[in-house]
């Protein structure tokens, strides 16, 4: 197949690497393109310049390369309707329509769908005027959960017991012209479950957990995600099935009932509380960095999986096959990420590590003139580790990250640590 992947981060490098078939027993011979891609993706795919929110330009690019499948990585093109433009042009696309992507694009819409589908989630109140902020703070906290009701790449959420900080965030979101959502705090460890959805057919991938705060022990600001591991040793054996039955399948059915069926990847971000799963948020795309770990264990050729979803034949796909063991990814972030990441510094490592996508995926990198790499984003690299045990996988990832040099960079040293130490209780 000729496949075009839209996006430029670590998630897209993971997708392109998996689509290349390099790790799959079957092997594949896909012709790969990416737009705009990054310096790591350039080793596996032909890169193209593209405004990823421009539907007609994406259609033109897909037609010019004869794409059999377009895979949309990030949320912005989905919310902008790029998948609709591709479908209208008769091109198979992995990614939901603009109307279905509103499950991520509007948190208020997601709440409405969940209420109709009977899905457990936090109580919420939407506020658009600064004068309503104090009353909402009285009603919902502490702990205060204050969300930007627009796309904010995971960075629009503040969870804090500090009322002044919650108020400041709410006022900043309103000043920027977005509604703000106040929510009750959901207790329990977080789970990211990615599900392939094609109408009412739902196929879950392995469950993962992301670490969203910038620093160890869940301190510091929220980020897009600083590391992740999969699967979850602490999740009950029926945990994934419960999430499918209680959350994803009812939402998929509700989207069909509304005449806006979901087609693509539905990411359920959950808290596992006393009553089981409750929804923190939905995303309309693969999560970053969880995807980097999840795809490291997938054995079924990814191209078959995405193509079946895109062409409405997911129900006929054979059950997914997974490697045994665990996978971990650790994010190497630039100095001052997430506030104002420093860019343009040389990245070096021994032994071809930076060119081995089974161990290092590129997120915010660019090629420099001397055939090396420089930092070009906040999350710069995703370092992977796999192993028979979660400890083995963590050890492999940290051993690799220690070999990489990027001035001023930092990473969390406790990815998967609470799970390994048995500290996660449900
Ligand atoms: N890992 C969080 C996200 O992808 O939004």
């Amino acid at each position: 197949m000729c496949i075009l992947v839209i996006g430029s981060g670590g998630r897209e490098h993971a997708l392109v690497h998996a689509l290349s078939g390099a790790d799959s027993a079957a092997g594949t011979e896909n012709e790969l393109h990416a737009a705009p891609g990054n310096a790591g993706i350039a080793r596996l795919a032909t890169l193209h310049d593209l405004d990823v929110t421009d539907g007609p330009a994406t259609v033109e690019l897909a037609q010019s390369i004869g794409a059999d499948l377009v895979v949309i990585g990030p949320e912005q093109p989905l919310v902008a309707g790029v998948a609709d433009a591709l479908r209208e042009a008769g091109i198979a696309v992995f990614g939901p329509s603009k109307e279905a992507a509103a499950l991520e694009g509007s948190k208020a819409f997601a709440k409405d769908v969940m209420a109709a589908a009977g899905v457990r989630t936090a109580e919420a109140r939407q506020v658009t005027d600064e004068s309503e902020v104090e009353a909402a703070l009285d009603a919902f906290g502490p702990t205060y959960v204050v969300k930007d009701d627009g796309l904010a790449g995971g960075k629009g959420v503040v969870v804090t017991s500090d009322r002044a900080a919650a108020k400041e965030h709410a006022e900043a979101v309103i000043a920027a012209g977005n509604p703000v959502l106040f929510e009750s705090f959901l207790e329990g460890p977080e789970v990211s479950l990615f599900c392939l959805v094609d109408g009412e057919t739902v196929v879950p991938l392995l469950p993962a957990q992301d670490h969203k705060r910038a620093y160890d022990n869940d301190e510091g600001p929220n980020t897009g995600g600083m590391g992740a591991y999969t699967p979850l040793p602490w999740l009950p054996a029926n945990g994934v099935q419960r999430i499918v039955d209680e959350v994803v399948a009812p939402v998929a059915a509700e989207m069909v009932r509304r005449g806006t069926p979901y087609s693509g990847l539905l990411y359920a971000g959950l808290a596992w509380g006393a009553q089981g799963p409750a929804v923190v948020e939905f995303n309309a795309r693969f999560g970053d960095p969880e995807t980097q770990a999840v795809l490291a264990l997938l054995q079924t050729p990814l191209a078959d999986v995405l193509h079946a979803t895109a062409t409405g034949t997911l129900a006929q796909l054979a059950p997914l096959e997974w490697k045994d063991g665990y996978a971990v990814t650790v994010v190497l972030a630039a100095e001052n990420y997430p506030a104002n990441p420093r860019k343009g510094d040389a990245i070096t490592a021994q032994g071809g590590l930076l060119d081995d996508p089974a161990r290092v995926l590129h997120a915010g990198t660019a090629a420099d003139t001397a055939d090396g790499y420089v930092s070009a984003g906040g999350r710069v690299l995703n370092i992977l580790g796999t192993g028979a045990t979660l400890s083995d996988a963590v050890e492999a990832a940290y051993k690799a990250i220690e070999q990489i040099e990027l001035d001023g960079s930092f990473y969390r040293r406790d990815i998967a640590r609470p799970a390994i130490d048995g500290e996660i209780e449900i």
Side-chain angles (χ1 to χ4, degrees):
M1 268 191 279
C2 174
I3 306 174
L4 169 63
V5 175
I6 306 294
S8 61
R11 167 186 48 211
E12 286 74 25
H13 196 185
L15 288 165
V16 169
H17 173 56
L19 290 167
S20 78
D23 280 355
S24 127
T28 53
E29 293 198 3
N30 298 315
E31 177 190 331
L32 299 173
H33 297 257
N38 63 34
I41 295 173
R43 300 257 172 188
L44 301 170
T46 306
L47 300 194
H48 304 267
D49 278 338
L50 181 71
D51 169 358
V52 299
T53 59
D54 185 335
T58 308
V59 169
E60 195 181 317
L61 172 59
Q63 285 172 335
S64 74
I65 61 171
D68 301 300
L69 175 67
V70 178
V71 179
I72 301 182
E75 59 274 25
Q76 293 86 356
L78 295 167
V79 169
V82 170
D84 306 75
L86 288 158
R87 279 197 188 92
E88 278 160 27
I91 298 164
V93 54
F94 183 85
S97 66
K98 176 178 178 165
E99 280 172 307
L103 282 173
E104 173 165 3
S106 166
K107 293 178 174 53
F109 172 77
K111 290 284 180 198
D112 187 56
V113 171
M114 283 188 272
V119 170
R120 200 178 304 118
T121 184
E123 281 178 41
R125 182 187 300 178
Q126 194 189 57
V127 167
T128 50
D129 193 294
E130 222 181 281
S131 65
E132 302 163 42
V133 168
E134 289 287 357
L137 289 169
D138 289 343
F140 284 92
T143 302
Y144 305 99
V145 181
V146 187
K147 295 183 175 178
D148 185 336
D149 191 28
L151 293 180
K155 288 165 262 177
V157 181
V158 164
V159 180
T160 179
S161 51
D162 178 347
R163 186 175 173 116
K167 184 167 185 261
E168 190 184 341
H169 182 60
E171 288 174 353
V173 172
I174 292 168
N178 283 342
V180 64
L181 216 64
F182 289 87
E183 290 192 359
S184 55
F185 178 68
L186 291 172
E187 300 282 352
E190 290 197 3
V191 180
S192 299
L193 186 70
F194 303 161
C195 292
L196 303 157
V197 178
D198 159 18
E200 295 207 36
T201 304
V202 175
V203 176
L205 307 189
L206 291 180
Q209 190 180 52
D210 181 17
H211 296 256
K212 292 206 177 67
R213 300 282 188 144
Y215 313 130
D216 286 5
N217 304 314
D218 289 335
E219 287 174 8
N222 254 0
T223 69
M226 292 297 289
Y229 63 97
T230 185
L232 307 178
W234 47 267
L235 195 67
N238 66 349
V240 167
Q241 195 56 49
R242 279 195 63 185
I243 297 166
V244 170
D245 293 346
E246 296 175 28
V247 174
V248 183
V251 165
E254 174 62 15
M255 295 302 283
V256 170
R257 194 191 66 75
R258 289 176 182 226
T260 53
Y262 198 95
S263 169
L265 196 290
L266 184 59
Y267 163 156
L270 309 134
W272 194 281
Q275 295 174 284
V279 175
V280 176
E281 64 176 4
F282 285 118
N283 293 311
R285 36 104 191 148
F286 281 97
D288 189 342
E290 299 98 309
T291 300
Q292 290 82 313
V294 171
L295 293 184
L297 296 182
L298 181 68
Q299 263 186 323
T300 306
L302 183 66
D304 295 351
V305 174
L306 303 186
H307 191 259
T309 311
T311 54
T313 57
L314 187 56
Q316 282 104 64
L317 190 73
L320 298 182
E321 290 180 31
W322 297 95
K323 293 175 197 159
D324 290 336
Y326 293 84
V328 172
T329 186
V330 180
V331 170
L332 183 77
E335 185 176 337
N336 283 330
Y337 174 74
N340 182 22
R342 169 176 159 179
K343 296 178 188 166
D345 294 290
I347 314 164
T348 55
Q350 299 297 318
L353 191 57
L354 299 179
D355 292 323
D356 179 358
R359 292 191 292 162
V360 173
L361 293 163
H362 289 229
T365 66
D368 79 1
T369 47
D371 202 27
Y373 299 108
V374 293
S375 56
R379 293 189 291 178
V380 180
L381 296 172
N382 305 139
I383 290 72
L384 290 167
T386 55
T389 67
L390 189 50
S391 299
D392 291 345
V394 164
E395 199 180 315
Y398 281 111
K399 210 168 149 191
I401 207 167
E402 280 160 16
Q403 297 169 43
I404 299 173
E405 291 194 18
L406 169 61
D407 206 24
S409 65
F410 71 99
Y411 57 89
R412 277 184 64 156
R413 288 162 200 270
D414 62 348
I415 301 303
R417 183 46 55 192
I420 291 170
D421 291 346
E423 286 169 9
I424 302 184
E425 287 173 13
I426 59 171

